[in-house]
Amino acid sequence: MKINKTEKISLTFINSLICILLLSPIIYALSISFMKADEIFSTSVNFLPSSFYLGNYKEAIKTIPIFRYILNSFFIAAFSTLGQIVTSCLAAYAFSFFKFKGKSIIFIIFLSTMMIPGEAVIISNYLTISKMKLLDTYTGLIIPNLVSAMGIFMLRQYFLTVPKDLMEAAKIDGMSSFHFLIYVLIPISKSAISSLSMYTFLMTWNQYMWPLLVTGSDNMRTVQIGVSMLKANESESFGLIMAGIIMIIIPSIFLFILGQKQLIDGMSEGSLKG
């Protein structure tokens, strides 16, 4: 179905309008971060700063160790994502290609955990981490994020679309089950794995309650806690708060753009070829 020039222009205009509407809060926050206090609280509405005032960013860096928080969040999110990809791939592989006693029941139990809100198990997780003496450590922050029922379900549904004959052919060629997973199944499942990676990274990056519970020092706090500290310390300095928010948002947006490219590449390369 061909799209004529008028329809193409209309679609471009609509997409551009939607993009502007979605980005307008971030753009306005960026604008406020460059304004002085008197300009923000002036009686007239200012959408653009009269001059690019960098004092808010300098003050945000002095108020909290924001770069340390960004590094902590990146480290925790990266290792949580890596761990979740490993556990989800292995579990989904077992549920998709192997037959064992009680497989359906175990899978239903996995799915049932998706209905349990995170707040219901956060205390038990905290007590477990506390007994393991992992409070205020990277390990304590990462361990609860290593397994996800949603990730297992997502990859399992994708693996089910792969013909079982492909595994049989690989075994005939002398390939082991583990090698089939590493060299065949994972490469053709890049789109699903990329989607899971982006989702896991952004969810871990935006965590607030769990890092708040298990961290107690500036060396271990994450970006979301840093934003709340800015709000608590400077409740009237909206420019300072917005500067901190922008510094925290930029890395996640950048990583999302990179992940989106990987997702598109995975979708184009992840198909089975006869």
Side-chain angles (χ1 to χ4, degrees):
M1 181 179 177
K2 294 184 179 180
I3 301 176
N4 58 45
K5 187 175 181 179
T6 304
E7 291 178 340
K8 186 176 181 180
I9 294 174
S10 300
L11 289 174
T12 302
F13 174 77
I14 294 172
N15 289 335
S16 300
L17 182 61
I18 294 173
C19 181
I20 292 172
L21 290 174
L22 293 175
L23 292 178
S24 57
I26 299 177
I27 295 173
Y28 189 53
L30 178 63
S31 178
I32 292 177
S33 68
F34 288 109
M35 294 182 185
K36 295 182 179 180
D38 56 348
E39 190 174 0
I40 296 173
F41 293 104
S42 64
T43 55
S44 60
V45 180
N46 299 312
F47 292 101
L48 295 175
S50 58
S51 62
F52 287 97
Y53 174 65
L54 298 177
N56 292 323
Y57 289 91
K58 294 178 181 179
E59 189 64 26
I61 295 172
K62 291 180 181 179
T63 303
I64 60 172
I66 193 166
F67 292 116
R68 177 69 186 188
Y69 294 166
I70 292 174
L71 180 64
N72 288 342
S73 290
F74 181 84
F75 183 85
I76 295 163
F79 275 87
S80 297
T81 301
L82 178 62
Q84 198 166 131
I85 289 173
V86 172
T87 57
S88 296
C89 284
L90 292 174
Y93 183 43
F95 283 124
S96 302
F97 286 88
F98 294 96
K99 294 181 179 180
F100 52 91
K101 188 176 181 180
K103 182 174 76 170
S104 299
I105 297 175
I106 295 173
F107 185 67
I108 291 173
I109 293 173
F110 266 102
L111 289 183
S112 64
T113 61
M114 295 175 63
M115 297 183 288
I116 302 175
E119 292 77 8
V121 296
I122 195 169
I123 299 302
S124 60
N125 286 341
Y126 175 81
L127 294 175
T128 302
I129 295 298
S130 178
K131 288 182 180 179
M132 296 172 66
K133 301 186 184 301
L134 294 176
L135 293 178
D136 208 31
T137 64
Y138 287 123
T139 306
L141 287 163
I142 294 172
I143 284 179
N145 301 317
L146 292 179
V147 180
S148 168
M150 194 211 73
I152 295 172
F153 172 75
M154 178 180 173
L155 292 185
R156 183 245 185 193
Q157 295 303 108
Y158 191 90
F159 288 171
L160 288 176
T161 64
V162 178
K164 300 295 188 297
D165 295 341
L166 191 62
M167 184 177 185
E168 297 300 326
K171 287 185 176 180
I172 292 174
D173 290 337
M175 186 174 288
S176 65
S177 297
F178 182 73
H179 285 166
F180 173 75
L181 171 65
I182 299 299
Y183 297 110
V184 179
L185 192 57
I186 290 179
I188 65 177
S189 305
K190 286 182 180 179
S191 59
I193 294 174
S194 297
S195 299
L196 177 62
S197 300
M198 286 191 293
Y199 174 81
T200 303
F201 190 95
L202 292 175
M203 288 294 292
T204 308
W205 180 275
N206 291 321
Q207 274 187 342
Y208 175 76
M209 187 58 68
W210 180 247
L212 182 65
L213 280 176
V214 300
T215 60
S217 63
D218 285 338
N219 289 332
M220 297 305 303
R221 290 194 176 102
T222 57
V223 290
Q224 302 305 325
I225 301 176
V227 171
S228 64
M229 291 174 64
L230 283 176
K231 292 178 181 178
N233 293 334
E234 303 289 344
S235 58
E236 297 298 328
S237 183
F238 290 106
L240 172 63
I241 296 172
M242 292 303 171
I245 291 174
I246 292 298
M247 294 174 70
I248 290 170
I249 287 177
I250 287 176
S252 60
I253 292 177
F254 178 72
L255 291 172
F256 178 79
I257 293 173
L258 292 180
Q260 189 180 37
K261 182 179 183 301
Q262 293 173 357
L263 174 60
I264 295 173
D265 292 342
M267 291 178 66
S268 62
E269 298 174 3
S271 58
L272 287 172
K273 296 182 180 179

